[in-house]
């Protein structure tokens, strides 16, 4: 399968715990994006990388959120001190420069 | 900030009926993209429109981009049960690059067989 993959697919955690999600983009794609989607809403942009450089972060991304893309390959999104409001689907997408974005299956986070 | 609005929020049709969803942006867009998300699935890219007044067809789907490049529509002729899902439009944030997309809330289409 050469699509975008995300792990884990589901994560249940207690409030205050830290969680980390991983995204493996399509190999030849140099851009990688993170979105958050809640029920009944469209995906909301969080941040994006071009190769290993994180070029923009949304105001939605509080200081509890951090994303990395070492070596311009896979990416991780970490949420520290999770809150119930962080419960959502976290989607990763990748693209070639400004091309169409290919989304992964997402990681569903539930914060109890 | 930029807003992208879609109507209707929900649409239920009988199989064989037509369906249309409308998308309006608060700002002029360099392009508009449409995605489909099946229930329990992830968004899948359908098409990108770039030119003012552009019309593109994909089998039973017809996409239009308004003359002012602030609105768009997706029309499905003779819906089938496989068309079920949420249809999102998305426009790039200011600057024209596709890297930061603003999505509408989507239109959920259900089809009664």
């Amino acid at each position: 399968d050469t699509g975008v993959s995300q792990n884990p697919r589901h994560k249940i955690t207690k409030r205050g715990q830290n969680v980390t999600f991983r995204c493996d983009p399509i190999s030849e794609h140099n851009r990688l994006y993170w979105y958050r989607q809640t029920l009944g809403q469209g995906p909301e942009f969080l941040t994006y990388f071009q190769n290993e450089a994180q070029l923009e972060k949304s105001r939605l991304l509080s200081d509890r959120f951090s994303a990395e893309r070492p070596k311009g390959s896979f990416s991780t999104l970490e949420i520290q001190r999770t809150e119930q409001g962080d419960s959502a689907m976290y989607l990763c997408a990748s693209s070639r420069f400004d091309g169409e974005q290919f989304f992964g299956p997402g990681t569903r986070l539930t914060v109890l | 900030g930029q807003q992208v609005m879609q109507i209707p929020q929900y649409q239920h049709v009988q199989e064989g009926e037509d369906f249309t969803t409308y998308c309006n942006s608060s700002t002029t867009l360099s392009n508009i993209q449409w995605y489909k998300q099946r229930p329990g699935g992830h968004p899948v890219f359908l098409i990108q429109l770039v030119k003012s007044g552009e019309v593109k067809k994909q089998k039973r789907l017809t996409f239009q981009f308004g003359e002012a490049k602030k609105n768009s529509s997706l029309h499905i002729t003779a819906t089938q049960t496989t068309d079920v899902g949420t249809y999102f439009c998305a426009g790039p944030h200011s600057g024209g690059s596709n890297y930061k997309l603003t999505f509408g809330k989507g239109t959920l289409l259900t089809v009664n067989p």
Side-chain angles (χ1 to χ4, degrees):
Chain A
D1 184 10
T2 58
V4 177
S5 62
Q6 291 187 245
N7 288 288
R9 295 291 305 276
H10 304 272
K11 179 70 177 179
I12 300 174
T13 191
K14 293 182 179 178
R15 188 177 53 180
Q17 297 294 306
N18 299 344
V19 294
T20 300
F21 311 140
R22 176 178 171 126
C23 170
D24 287 89
I26 294 172
S27 59
E28 62 266 29
H29 286 182
N30 64 331
R31 288 193 177 173
L32 185 148
Y33 314 80
W34 285 99
Y35 292 86
R36 181 170 65 190
Q37 186 177 27
T38 54
L39 197 62
Q41 303 292 318
E44 295 175 292
F45 173 86
L46 293 178
T47 188
Y48 104 103
F49 293 82
Q50 180 155 309
N51 300 314
E52 67 277 6
Q54 185 175 18
L55 297 186
E56 182 157 343
K57 293 170 61 173
S58 165
R59 285 173 294 176
L60 292 173
L61 217 61
S62 77
D63 56 6
R64 296 184 297 105
F65 288 70
S66 63
E68 295 183 342
R69 192 185 182 195
K71 303 178 183 177
S73 55
F74 71 92
S75 176
T76 58
L77 178 68
E78 181 183 17
I79 309 175
Q80 296 182 328
R81 306 180 303 281
T82 52
E83 302 172 356
Q84 288 185 326
D86 296 331
S87 295
M89 177 73 82
Y90 289 84
L91 294 163
C92 174
S94 69
S95 74
R96 287 178 181 167
F97 296 105
D98 271 358
E100 65 180 270
Q101 296 186 21
F102 292 80
F103 282 81
T107 294
R108 181 169 296 283
L109 173 66
T110 302
V111 181
L112 301 175
Chain B
Q2 180 189 47
Q3 291 186 346
V4 176
M5 294 148 285
Q6 280 185 258
I7 56 169
Q9 193 173 357
Y10 306 99
Q11 184 77 60
H12 179 74
V13 300
Q14 289 293 127
E15 190 172 20
E17 291 182 339
D18 292 356
F19 159 77
T20 304
T21 174
Y22 300 91
C23 176
N24 287 282
S25 170
S26 58
T27 59
T28 301
L29 300 169
S30 59
N31 67 78
I32 189 106
Q33 300 177 32
W34 285 91
Y35 290 77
K36 177 183 178 181
Q37 186 171 23
R38 294 182 187 273
H42 55 274
V44 174
F45 176 85
L46 294 177
I47 206 160
Q48 175 176 285
L49 305 172
V50 178
K51 299 177 183 176
S52 169
E54 188 170 13
V55 177
K56 285 188 176 180
K57 292 189 175 183
Q58 288 180 351
K59 297 182 180 178
R60 295 178 294 104
L61 278 61
T62 301
F63 303 84
Q64 293 189 353
F65 199 11
E67 295 290 340
K69 301 184 77 172
K70 293 181 72 174
N71 62 289
S72 181
S73 65
L74 158 59
H75 179 83
I76 302 178
T77 303
T79 54
Q80 300 175 358
T81 55
T82 53
D83 296 325
V84 165
T86 301
Y87 292 85
F88 294 99
C89 63
H93 206 61
S94 61
S97 171
N98 279 350
Y99 74 82
K100 186 175 178 179
L101 293 176
T102 300
F103 282 77
K105 290 187 176 182
T107 296
L108 172 60
L109 171 65
T110 55
V111 179
N112 197 29

